[in-house]
Each structure stands twice: as C-alpha cells, then as structure tokens.
Amino acid sequence: MEIDRRSFIASLGGAAAVAGMDAEAKADALEHYMEEQLDEQVAAAQGQPEKFPTVAEIEERIDKSNVRRGAGSLFASNRGNVKKLEKLPKNATLLDFYKLRFEPANHVLQSATRALKTGMSEEIILACLCHDVVLNLIKPDHGWWGAQLFEPYVPEKTSFAIRYHQTLRFYADSEAGYEYPDQYYRIFGTDYTPPPHIEATYKMLKNHKWYMEPRLVTVNDLYAFDPKAVVTIDPFMDIIGRHFKQPKEGLGQDNSPSSHMWRTIANPDAPL
Ligand SMILES: [Fe+2]
Ligand SMILES: [Fe+2]
C-alpha cells in the first residue's frame, strides 16, 4: 500500500510531533493510519458512500477507551504517547502559545486564512483564528470555554463569535452559505439532535443583532483538513497586534479571570 508520507506526518501533528514519538508509538500510528486509509480505499473502490455511525453506536465506544472523548488534545493523544512539552518563556505571548501549545493549529489557521481571503472584519478574522484552540484544553461546550479563555483580551464581538459558533454550526443557513457538515454525522451520529441549552441559545441568537458574527465563523470554519495547504500565523500578526490585549506579565501571570486556564494549557503535566 502506498503511503502519502506528507499526509501521514501531518495527521500526526507534523514533523516535530513525530520526532517526539518513540519507535513503538510510530509503528502503532502507522498501522492505525494504514488501516484507516485501506478502509477508505476499499469503500471508495466499491463505490460505497461512507457509513456514518448512529448516536447509540458512538455511545457503545465509551467503555472501549481509556480516555473520554471530551479530553483536550494536550491531555490525550489519539496517536501514540503524549509528548514532552517545551517550557513557555516568561511573559508568554499569544504567539508563544500558538507555537508551543496549539501547534500545528492547522484548522484554525486555515479557517482564519479563508476569513482573510473572503474579506471578513478583523474581529471575525481574529475569532476564526481563536475559535477552536481551547480544544487543546477541553472539548465539551468549547464555544463557552473558548470565549471565556479569550474574553479578557479580545473585542466583545470576537468573544461573542467564539462563544456562539458552537451553537450555530448545528443549524444550516443557506443564505449565509452554511450547510450542516457531513463531518458531524461522523462525530455526533446520524440521528443526533442538539441538547436543550443549544436549542435555547439558537433561538436567542436568531433575533440577536450580532447573529452574523458567530455565523461568519461557521461559514469560514473548514471541516475538511487539507494537508497540502501551507498556512502560518504570520499574516495575522498585525490583526493580533491591533486587537489582542497582550498582558505585559505574560498570559497566565496577569491575574485575569482566565489566567488559570492559560496556566493549565502552559503546564498540562501538573498533577494537581
Ligand atoms: Fe468549533
Ligand atoms: Fe472549527
């Protein structure tokens, strides 16, 4: 079986992540990757559309794993062991966190790149850049967690957009150019319905004057990871400089309402 080396390395989180894996972890990851590729190739050769799981089938998997699905990706690697983390510098900046904790950050960089190309406001480009990085810490209700993480440092529209993109991604809006993503049949199950707090939030948002802010995050959210796209944070440095209030003491040391969250991301190996 032919292996696309680049895609394989990208699927593991990039060359640096691979360098940190021991031989056994690499072998496991390769085997896992080949199985997935083979399944996909067989299904494609047989002309079958991908079969998405049901909610019950997803629930069946819970006690087959030693990690819950909601664990942040800094805490639970789904490919081999977690890796040793480089210490953050004193007075850590947002850029330090992107480079040392959120990398490769492909998903948010690709989304923000698209937002830049489609002429979004700077508040929305920043929201796209930040919208999912809290997934490194925790996954359930990531819109609310993510907004809380960024709220002390970004414009109100940006944190509003981060908080509510989680709700709006479940509701299509063809006029705005957003369809329910196939990816969600895979992640949530084909017969999934959002819980009551999401439905109530959607009702509130429909009549909100800022409805379009989180909606534009969903429109620019990319559901298909493109391993060939080369994206960096460089094009966003000016926007970060203009709109992100970098604390001089460093993120995590500035005693803001979310400092503890930045510290936990900085030091996920702390035992208590
Ligand atoms: Fe998200
Ligand atoms: Fe996203």
Side-chain angles (χ1 to χ4, degrees), residues 2 6 17 27 35 82 94 104 108 120 128 166 174 176 190 213 216 232 241 245 252 256 262 264:
E2 291 248 347
R6 230 186 114 108
E35 275 168 20
V82 296
L94 183 63
V108 288
M120 298 292 113
C128 290
Q166 179 199 338
S174 355
T190 47
E213 310 300 325
L216 288 172
T232 73
K245 293 188 215 96
S256 84
W262 292 96
T264 303

Side-chain angles (χ1 to χ4, degrees), residues 179-234:
E179 302 302 337
Y180 189 85
D182 266 8
Q183 170 83 337
Y184 285 180
Y185 293 124
R186 196 175 296 126
I187 299 178
F188 294 98
T190 47
D191 48 346
Y192 176 79
T193 48
H197 77 281
I198 295 286
E199 276 177 31
T201 303
Y202 178 54
K203 271 199 198 123
M204 177 280 285
L205 287 170
K206 272 202 297 196
N207 301 311
H208 198 288
K209 62 177 177 183
W210 283 358
Y211 168 83
M212 281 311 282
E213 310 300 325
R215 174 50 77 201
L216 288 172
V217 173
T218 69
V219 169
N220 288 282
D221 212 346
L222 288 163
Y223 292 93
F225 167 64
D226 177 359
K228 292 190 183 77
V230 180
V231 280
T232 73
I233 201 163
D234 300 345

Side-chain angles (χ1 to χ4, degrees), residues 107 131-132 221:
H107 170 68
H131 79 284
D132 277 342
D221 212 346

Side-chain angles (χ1 to χ4, degrees), residues 47-188:
Q48 291 167 354
E50 183 182 346
K51 189 188 167 296
F52 299 119
T54 61
V55 169
E57 282 165 347
I58 290 174
E59 270 184 26
E60 277 290 296
R61 298 175 192 159
I62 292 177
D63 56 1
K64 316 274 181 309
S65 169
N66 59 354
V67 170
R68 295 201 185 275
R69 290 179 94 199
S73 42
L74 270 174
F75 294 85
S77 162
N78 55 2
R79 301 272 159 94
N81 290 349
V82 296
K83 60 178 181 175
K84 276 223 166 92
L85 293 167
E86 202 178 306
K87 274 209 165 42
L88 282 152
K90 253 185 140 197
N91 315 100
T93 64
L94 183 63
L95 187 64
D96 292 322
F97 274 87
Y98 271 86
K99 296 217 157 127
L100 299 173
R101 291 299 179 271
F102 305 151
E103 52 83 38
N106 278 312
H107 170 68
V108 288
L109 288 173
Q110 285 184 15
S111 299
T113 301
R114 181 175 162 172
L116 194 63
K117 277 192 197 140
T118 53
M120 298 292 113
S121 69
E122 295 198 342
E123 285 99 331
I124 291 306
I125 296 170
L126 184 61
C128 290
L129 186 68
C130 304
H131 79 284
D132 277 342
V133 298
V134 84
L135 297 177
N136 287 285
L137 176 65
I138 191 158
K139 293 178 180 170
D141 269 327
H142 75 285
W144 276 273
W145 282 94
Q148 202 176 356
L149 179 69
F150 282 101
E151 215 145 41
Y153 313 102
V154 299
E156 207 180 334
K157 269 189 186 167
T158 302
S159 55
F160 186 91
I162 297 172
R163 176 168 286 113
Y164 295 122
H165 87 276
Q166 179 199 338
T167 296
L168 290 189
R169 75 210 160 122
F170 290 119
Y171 301 93
D173 179 344
S174 355
E175 223 171 283
Y178 180 77
E179 302 302 337
Y180 189 85
D182 266 8
Q183 170 83 337
Y184 285 180
Y185 293 124
R186 196 175 296 126
I187 299 178
F188 294 98

